[in-house]
Amino acid sequence: MNPATALATVLVDELVRCGLTDVVLAPGSRSAALALALHAESRVRLHVRIDERSASFLALGLARRSDRPVALICSSGTAAANFHPAVIEANESGAPLLVLTADRPPELRGTGANQTIDQVKLYGTAVRWFAEVGVPEDRPGMVAYWRSLACRAYQRAAGPANPGPVHLNLAFREPMIPDGDTSWSEPLDGGAGGPWVRARVAPPPIALHIPPTRRGVLVVGDGAANVRRYVAAAGMAGWPVLSEPNGGARYGDHSISTYHYLLGTPEFADAHRPDVVVTLGRPGLSRPLLSWLRRADEHIVVAPDLDRWPDPTRSATQVAQAVEIPVASGDDSWLHAWRQADAAVRSALDAVLDRSGTSEPRLARDLVDALPNGALLFCGSSMPIRDLDQAMRPRRGIRLMANRGASGIDGLVSTAMGAALAHNGPSYALLGDLSFLHDQNGLILGPREPRPDLCLVVVNNDGGGIFSLLPQAAVRDSFERVFGTPHGVDLAYVAASTGTPYTLLGDISELPKAMRGEGPRVVEVRTDREENAAVHGRLREVAQDAVREFLSS
């Protein structure tokens, strides 16, 4: 057996023994041994994509939704470089990716050999661990090295406290396809009974106990862990819960869905300073919330990994792996005030949205309301997730995701595809037109590839809608060219190029009907950027009026 085939066979087998179930492959010649070993492995689900960037974000979506390591494989050269944006997002969002890059052997590096670049530590500090595996050789001890290496890579990616991407760089010499010889200097099998190395999970950390208080607040951002336990504890303590849509805690009687507008009204923010704020995950959607956190007297950040804790406002006073929120005696006036104000603002917002026609905030609100229980909704990183944050009503029974680690607009179609493939139920995505066009290759599925049940709802305002809500909009002379960036693309033709079913939404009331179907499909919703900015302005005005009327009553 040639060394390339031996290494690939052993590495794939050991990763499967560790628990690997999904692999994404971007084809190439130098990775041939890995590709053939995977094709012969019936215990994994193989996904093949012709575009490395699309492949990497597909793997990211699979890993984030399944919470299990997903292997990502490519050939050498710029193929590996195209993985970098997804690796960065996986690092920031804690997604367990196993990145296996094929490489040229040392004697070809630095010589001008074809498809050869410096791949050693290619992703820098964006990975939890890197290993230069070395050129495989037919000598005793190789199998133990390869199998223990695979176990270490799998466990470093999985976490459990700090999951994220791991990079193995695999140098292969030719030949790279099986030669018919099965002999090797030692047995290649890993024996029975599970992985070569078993990593034991540490016991749960001792929780930080905080003094009982009724004037507490639970804030939940992206990537939060153990959400239901903390929401239940906050409910027992009489605390309001301020959750971003992708935080997973916007449900129940204690959920304050209009916190963006409440805290954006100075009179309310000043009058509702808590004794303590407990933060899960990384909040980052609402500037009023972030400003309010800076003024908290006691701000406790819960972070499973004490080497990496989110504190963008530099307001944390304590950081703990776990927190015990005690039940506090006393009246419910604190929670009651939050809930009454929330109800007043919600009523005012809904009245504006109901009259706004097919506006972007209304689309976000109505889309969530229309989703069936058990659905997954993947949200675009720019305006879609913010529209959800400001317009979405509390509800149970759905899962929301977004690439808010690095908050890029790249790879979102592919990430949604991957998440849908890992989700047991119907899946949906709410994306902007620029994000959709940025990753239109994500629609390319080969005839033998697993096909997700995914409806992509695309808001088309012919450009970058978020900039119309930022100070740049005041620079009228240059705004449209360098910020608005109209594209004039007919999305129906984009969908048609890959045979993806397409629907143009005529009226917002037709949304549930337009979303029906099976497999990948696109629903386009056309809006106007200036009208959208006006709707957001009206929402802000009526919300602040409602808050001030509540405070004066």
Side-chain angles (χ1 to χ4, degrees):
M1 180 179 294
N2 66 62
T5 299
L7 169 57
T9 301
V10 170
L11 194 65
V12 168
D13 178 66
E14 190 59 40
L15 289 175
V16 171
R17 282 154 48 96
C18 287
L20 186 73
T21 59
D22 283 274
V23 180
V24 181
L25 170 70
S29 178
R30 191 57 55 167
S31 56
L34 287 168
L36 293 171
L38 285 166
H39 189 264
E41 178 53 75
S42 61
R43 294 171 292 175
V44 298
R45 185 169 58 159
L46 178 62
H47 312 266
V48 181
R49 294 295 186 274
I50 60 173
D51 172 3
E52 282 83 9
R53 189 180 69 181
S54 177
S56 61
F57 279 100
L58 180 82
L60 176 76
L62 283 161
R64 290 202 60 201
R65 181 61 189 91
S66 66
D67 291 323
R68 300 168 63 93
V70 172
L72 175 62
I73 297 172
C74 72
S75 186
S76 63
T78 57
N82 278 297
F83 283 174
H84 206 159
V87 171
I88 290 173
E89 176 62 32
N91 175 53
E92 296 297 333
S93 61
L97 280 187
L98 281 166
V99 184
L100 279 58
T101 56
D103 199 358
R104 260 55 178 173
E107 63 268 20
L108 293 181
R109 301 177 188 176
T111 66
N114 190 44
Q115 282 190 311
T116 306
I117 65 171
D118 183 1
Q119 295 179 202
V120 175
K121 297 189 175 181
L122 177 63
Y123 307 117
T125 58
V127 294
R128 300 290 185 271
W129 184 55
F130 166 80
E132 170 78 346
V133 177
V135 179
E137 300 176 2
D138 187 358
R139 60 182 176 84
M142 286 285 96
V143 171
Y145 166 50
W146 294 336
R147 289 191 179 274
S148 62
L149 183 77
C151 292
R152 185 184 297 271
Y154 189 91
Q155 289 300 327
R156 288 295 297 270
N162 186 22
V166 164
H167 178 202
L168 300 182
N169 195 51
L170 298 132
F172 291 110
R173 289 193 180 104
E174 296 183 2
M176 290 172 288
I177 62 173
D179 53 13
D181 183 5
T182 59
S183 61
W184 193 255
S185 58
E186 60 182 343
L188 291 175
D189 65 88
W196 188 267
V197 178
R198 293 177 180 85
R200 300 301 182 187
V201 178
I206 298 175
L208 169 69
H209 287 259
I210 58 179
T213 176
R214 300 294 283 186
R215 293 179 62 87
V217 173
L218 178 66
V219 174
V220 186
D222 185 66
N226 301 316
V227 171
R228 291 191 177 277
R229 179 168 72 84
Y230 282 102
V231 170
M236 295 293 291
W239 291 11
V241 177
L242 318 184
S243 176
E244 295 182 348
N246 45 319
R250 191 171 289 198
Y251 63 87
D253 294 338
H254 291 222
S255 178
I256 307 299
S257 63
T258 65
Y259 68 86
H260 173 80
Y261 295 104
L262 294 175
L263 300 179
T265 306
E267 298 92 324
F268 185 91
D270 292 342
H272 292 79
R273 292 184 61 174
D275 294 335
V276 61
V277 174
V278 173
T279 297
L280 311 178
R282 182 175 65 176
L285 291 176
S286 170
R287 290 186 180 183
L289 173 62
L290 295 177
S291 297
W292 184 72
L293 286 177
R294 292 188 184 97
R295 302 162 58 195
D297 294 329
E298 183 78 5
H299 179 196
I300 301 173
V301 173
V302 180
D305 175 28
L306 294 183
D307 291 330
R308 292 165 56 94
W309 69 79
D311 183 23
T313 59
R314 299 290 185 182
S315 60
T317 54
Q318 296 191 73
V319 180
Q321 290 179 293
V323 169
E324 189 69 34
I325 300 175
V327 176
S329 59
D331 62 50
D332 290 329
S333 58
W334 169 253
L335 176 62
H336 188 62
W338 280 89
R339 291 178 62 182
Q340 278 192 312
D342 181 58
V345 174
R346 169 55 57 195
S347 177
L349 295 176
D350 285 341
V352 171
L353 293 178
D354 290 342
R355 296 191 302 268
S356 67
T358 308
S359 68
E360 294 176 26
R362 181 175 179 181
L363 173 65
R365 184 198 67 176
D366 291 2
L367 174 61
V368 171
D369 289 348
L371 295 181
N373 285 334
L376 168 72
L377 176 60
F378 181 82
C379 316
S381 302
S382 188
M383 276 312 300
I385 189 63
R386 288 177 170 83
D387 282 331
L388 283 167
D389 189 42
Q390 297 170 29
M392 173 186 165
R393 294 182 277 229
R395 69 156 293 181
R396 300 178 186 269
I398 59 172
R399 174 76 176 263
L400 285 98
M401 290 176 53
N403 281 355
R404 289 292 298 177
S407 301
I409 69 165
D410 47 344
L412 298 189
V413 174
S414 299
T415 308
M417 289 278 189
L421 284 165
H423 183 68
N424 183 25
S427 299
Y428 305 83
L430 179 62
L431 306 177
D433 50 339
L434 296 189
S435 297
F436 179 74
L437 292 172
H438 204 289
D439 190 30
Q440 56 187 291
N441 276 5
L443 296 176
I444 301 174
L445 296 173
R448 299 178 62 183
E449 297 307 306
R451 304 181 73 81
D453 180 9
L454 174 65
C455 177
L456 295 154
V457 180
V458 182
V459 179
N460 184 4
N461 53 33
D462 195 29
I466 192 171
F467 296 111
S468 296
L469 304 177
L470 297 177
Q472 292 94 317
V475 188
R476 303 300 299 179
D477 291 344
S478 56
F479 175 80
E480 196 67 5
R481 177 77 187 281
V482 298
F483 294 109
T485 57
H487 50 77
V489 175
D490 190 330
L491 302 189
Y493 287 105
V494 174
S497 69
T498 55
T500 305
Y502 164 89
T503 302
L504 175 62
L505 185 71
D507 186 87
I508 190 68
S509 63
E510 300 172 359
L511 179 63
K513 180 181 177 181
M515 294 193 302
R516 292 174 193 161
E518 295 179 353
R521 55 203 186 276
V522 173
V523 174
E524 180 185 357
V525 184
R526 293 177 183 171
T527 61
D528 180 88
R529 279 185 271 128
E530 291 194 5
E531 289 181 7
N532 180 57
V535 170
H536 277 272
R538 288 198 297 273
L539 291 173
R540 185 169 54 252
E541 291 172 4
V542 300
Q544 291 184 345
D545 289 345
V547 174
R548 289 171 179 140
E549 183 178 348
F550 162 76
L551 291 173
S552 64
S553 61

